[in-house]
Amino acid sequence: MYGKGRIIPALIIFIGLMTAPMWYGSGDASKLPNPEKPKGYTECVEDTQYMRTSHMKVLNDWRDDILREGGARVATTANGTEYVRSLQNGCMKCHNNREKFCGECHKYASVNPYCWDCHLQPKEAM
Amino acid sequence: MRILNPLIAVLALVAVALMAAQVPGGQGLIGVVLPYLAFAIFLGGFAHRVKTWAKSPVPFRIPTTCGQANSLPWIKQNKLDCPSTKAGVIGRMLLEVFLFRSLFRNTRAEMHDGPKLVYGSSKSLWLFGLLFHYTFLVIVLRHLRLFMDPIPAFVGALEFGDGFMQIGVPVLYMTDAIFVGAITFLFLRRVVLPNIRYISLPADYFPLFLILGIAITGILMRYVLRVDIVSIKQLTHGLATFSPHVVGEIGSIFFVHVFLVCALMIYFPFSKLMHAGGVFMSPTRNMMNNSRMVRHINPWNDPNIKPHSYEHYEDEFREFMKEAGLPVDKE
């Protein structure tokens, strides 16, 4: 093999970079986000698994529906609990601690929604 | 056929992944066993290919010289295009690797009436090649959010910059759109230009389709079908910390995506994609053009074969030369 002095260190650096997540303090994979369950409510606006994957779509649909189509501001869950279709007055009424609910998952998945540039979060978490 | 077969191959991979994701144990196979296997083949194969290249001796200077070589003091040398120093080679290499400088010089040949052959500059390959590679890099780096905890700050910064346009929810990443556009261009280029189509092989189309498949499944997963990222990170983060398990309800689309990525990793070391390592190893790029300053001796010359100077040659053949009427230095 020619150029050993350069090629072997280069390969080691390459493999080191590629495997960085494996050796660079990647933490404990069993440490999971634990979004706080809302007190006094038993169901979300949609099925829980659907909320896990698609809550941003729900929000976006509400926003477009209300602000552009003049859609209803109030709706009911599958079991008849009435809620406001709103980020501040809906989601955050039941999930009233942004840090302990939304933040749990969002920190874990590196998500930083820009909604809070304008929308207010519940007082107690501010 | 040269286009259709690779397309069918990629669609077959998608079908296999879709089916495997349904059968019991299949998710563990695609989500846990295959990624480790593919990653090992990728790293091992990459190192192996580089090692075999390193075995080829390159005793003589064969750099492509695209400019004035180092010469007399009043002739201006083109230090980057015909480097004669280490620094020049490093500069040339950096520009090549980070900016694809040789593609920038790409030309197009056209036949005009006359008949006249006309060369024009052709920057689109350079532009879309560059866009393709850089968006790919950003996309790969963004994926680190799924493999690390805590997530390094630069990943968040990339996400912020990438989603800067704030289009839709979840925000549209610019790189996703540019990436698909660039692959589409690279594909159309091979189909539309007759001379490029003529030299395109299945090995050219297959990686394009495979990467396009990865991009499409990724985009579907983020914007259309949506998947449970928390469960997915549990799996992927587990892969990085050697404690993976498949939990929760992860959509099949995720397994198709992972399957295609694994296929790419396995395919990589055996394909033209190895230009990633090859660019550093190509003697036409990484050698300095100093043949006029340094004598390069072939390392495997037989030491028993002594140099044979012209004087000796003439001594040996003087009589024959005279007979043939050739001029000789010494009578």
Side-chain angles (χ1 to χ4, degrees), chain A residues 1-2 7 14 18-19 22 24-27 29 31-32 49 53-54 56-57 60 63 108-110 114, chain B residues 39 42 46 51 54-55 57 145 148-149 151 159 166 169-171 226-228 233-234 237 240-241 249:
Chain A
M1 192 167 146
Y2 299 87
I7 291 170
F14 169 72
M18 294 312 272
T19 53
M22 294 180 171
Y24 166 84
S26 280
K31 212 178 78 224
L32 291 178
Q49 182 61 26
T53 64
S54 307
M56 47 298 208
K57 180 171 185 306
N60 204 29
R63 172 167 67 172
Y108 182 68
S110 178
Y114 60 88
Chain B
F39 196 52
F42 170 67
F46 197 104
K51 220 179 79 207
K55 282 205 176 114
R145 75 171 172 148
M148 290 172 137
D149 194 52
I151 299 162
E159 285 172 346
Q166 300 192 339
V169 179
V171 286
R226 283 181 306 279
V227 286
D228 185 351
K233 179 158 181 183
Q234 223 169 319
H237 189 201
T241 52
E249 294 171 38

Side-chain angles (χ1 to χ4, degrees), chain A residues 60 63 114, chain B residues 163-174 223:
Chain A
N60 204 29
R63 172 167 67 172
Y114 60 88
Chain B
F164 189 69
M165 297 291 186
Q166 300 192 339
I167 299 170
V169 179
V171 286
L172 176 75
Y173 286 137
M174 281 180 267
Y223 303 102

Side-chain angles (χ1 to χ4, degrees), chain B residues 310 313-314 317-331:
Chain B
Y310 180 72
Y313 172 89
E314 205 180 275
F317 295 108
R318 182 163 297 110
E319 295 312 314
F320 301 100
M321 291 171 75
K322 278 188 188 157
E323 243 171 67
L326 293 174
V328 285
D329 287 352
K330 261 193 303 192
E331 278 306 317

Side-chain angles (χ1 to χ4, degrees), chain B residues 253-271:
Chain B
I253 184 78
F254 170 75
F255 292 98
V256 177
H257 187 69
V258 170
F259 194 76
L260 294 182
V261 172
C262 290
L264 182 67
M265 286 200 283
I266 294 172
Y267 179 67
F268 198 101
F270 309 100
S271 70

Side-chain angles (χ1 to χ4, degrees), chain B residues 128 175-186 212:
Chain B
F128 285 94
T175 48
D176 290 8
I178 298 172
F179 187 58
V180 171
I183 307 172
T184 310
F185 171 87
L186 294 177
L212 188 62

Side-chain angles (χ1 to χ4, degrees), chain B residues 175-210:
Chain B
T175 48
D176 290 8
I178 298 172
F179 187 58
V180 171
I183 307 172
T184 310
F185 171 87
L186 294 177
F187 169 66
L188 288 180
R189 186 183 82 98
R190 290 195 180 275
V191 181
V192 172
L193 300 180
N195 45 351
I196 306 287
R197 185 170 60 225
Y198 185 72
I199 59 166
S200 294
L201 298 172
D204 295 312
Y205 293 113
F206 180 71
L208 282 175
F209 288 141
L210 189 57

